[in-house]
Amino acid sequence: MLVNLQYVLDLAEKGNFAIPAFNVYNMESVMGVLKAAEEMKAPIIMQVYPRLMKEETGYFLSPIIKAAAEKASVPVCFHLDHGPSELETTRSIRYGATGIMLDGSTLPFEENIALTKRVVDTCSYLNVQVEGELGHVGTTADSDMDEFTTPEDAKRFVEETGVSCLAVAVGTAHGRYKKPPKLDIERILAIREATNNAALVLHGGSGVPDEEIQKAVKAGIRKMNFATDICYAFLDTCLEELQKPDRAIAIDNFMKKPIEAVKEFCITRIKLVGADGKA
Ligand code: 13P
């Protein structure tokens, strides 16, 4: 069942768990994620980077995500990840997205508030909700990873923009970590308190130690993102399969193992964030 962002966030808040948000790139990753969600009876988010939406891929991928969500026996939200501007957010809504992230985290504070609020207002007419970002979550290649979100700024941001959830910088980054990160759990708790328990989002979930993720969810993370490890699960399996002399040649048959690998990875994350059985 295709649902909007608020629907899955409400489930997470009520059940004290995090909605796993899996980045998808092609039909096979959609199939792997969906199989995991259905097997685990878990509500999930399938999200797409804006570069895919900008290119031809988004045109073809969006109807696949929508078809998967509509067929699903569990709630699935179709979300734009890291939308940089109104051009991308509008295009994604036209493509059928039911959740939108507007990432103004590299803008000056006031500009981030103004742009995010404009997108929240537009989306509200369409029953689509918005994720904002405050305190920039960079990549693991960045030299500086400590531009953390403050509770005071988060309070103002949530109140003035009306976002449904907020991505915070508390020690994670996108990509493969050189050493496992340690999260600022106290900061998550303080932001939750300052924002009257706003739903918080953690980006950069790949490679974060399981116990850190569990602590973060307990502290109030309600959406937990995973992208890089989905790519590795898929591509490593493709590479392994290619080494086998008796490998399948028909592409659909060859793809069965990579789809299965994505599914198995997603099952571990669904259980980790406590979303299993919550559909
Ligand atoms: P990873 O690629 O580090 O899992 O991060 C995913 C993410 O936060 C997508 O926005």
Side-chain angles (χ1 to χ4, degrees):
M1 140 173 88
L2 177 68
V3 298
N4 64 20
L5 181 59
Q6 197 62 53
Y7 186 97
V8 286
L9 290 173
D10 286 348
L11 287 179
E13 192 57 53
K14 234 185 277 159
N16 274 317
F17 67 97
I19 294 290
F22 298 115
N23 284 70
V24 291
Y25 304 81
N26 58 5
M27 183 178 77
E28 287 75 16
S29 48
V30 170
M31 289 167 76
V33 169
L34 185 68
K35 280 171 191 282
E38 293 208 295
E39 209 169 297
M40 287 294 100
K41 299 191 178 7
I44 55 149
I45 293 171
M46 287 196 203
Q47 57 187 18
V48 180
Y49 281 126
R51 71 164 190 275
L52 296 166
M53 291 303 213
K54 222 165 40 186
E55 293 162 2
E56 211 181 14
T57 309
Y59 176 83
F60 295 113
L61 184 58
S62 299
I64 291 173
I65 296 171
K66 275 182 62 187
E70 278 158 7
K71 165 183 174 289
S73 56
V74 294
V76 178
C77 167
F78 168 19
H79 191 62
L80 169 69
D81 196 17
H82 292 289
S85 73
E86 284 159 301
L87 176 67
E88 272 78 16
T89 58
T90 307
R91 179 171 21 222
S92 297
I93 289 172
R94 280 197 66 194
Y95 280 178
T98 52
I100 291 288
M101 177 182 192
L102 186 285
D103 179 359
S105 63
T106 55
L107 297 173
F109 186 51
E110 302 296 336
E111 283 176 43
N112 187 4
I113 288 183
L115 176 59
T116 306
K117 182 172 171 17
R118 270 207 312 277
V119 172
V120 169
D121 288 346
T122 310
C123 285
S124 72
Y125 299 121
L126 304 160
N127 199 19
V128 169
Q129 296 77 36
V130 177
E131 170 185 350
E133 179 166 323
L134 183 64
H136 182 57
V137 183
T139 75
T140 51
D142 294 345
S143 51
D144 187 9
M145 263 178 48
D146 57 7
E147 199 194 310
F148 285 4
T149 312
T150 69
E152 301 72 36
D153 285 352
K155 174 178 161 55
R156 242 197 89 195
F157 189 88
V158 168
E159 283 175 2
E160 294 188 21
T161 60
V163 287
S164 291
C165 58
L166 177 67
V168 288
V170 293
T172 56
H174 299 90
R176 276 228 153 151
Y177 297 97
K178 290 180 196 83
K179 63 178 182 38
K182 196 157 167 30
L183 307 185
D184 191 342
I185 302 295
E186 289 304 315
R187 190 176 291 268
I188 298 173
L189 289 166
I191 296 171
R192 279 278 281 184
E193 198 181 332
T195 57
N196 198 17
N197 293 333
L200 303 182
V201 183
L202 200 55
H203 283 244
S206 299
V208 178
D210 288 3
E211 20 350 315
E212 292 286 303
I213 290 182
Q214 279 165 334
K215 279 191 261 174
V217 173
K218 204 161 163 229
I221 294 297
R222 294 291 170 252
K223 171 175 179 278
M224 183 77 226
N225 289 4
F226 301 98
T228 302
D229 278 346
I230 292 180
C231 298
Y232 278 105
F234 184 87
L235 292 175
D236 286 352
T237 309
C238 288
L239 284 173
E240 271 168 36
E241 285 302 299
L242 283 168
Q243 311 300 323
K244 295 182 183 162
D246 60 340
R247 68 173 183 268
I249 296 297
I251 297 172
D252 59 319
N253 286 329
F254 180 89
M255 283 298 162
K256 285 187 176 145
K257 293 245 170 76
I259 292 172
E260 201 58 23
V262 169
K263 181 188 107 175
E264 292 305 325
F265 169 74
C266 292
I267 284 177
T268 67
R269 300 303 90 179
I270 287 170
K271 287 184 183 162
L272 180 64
V273 300
D276 49 316
K278 301 291 180 15

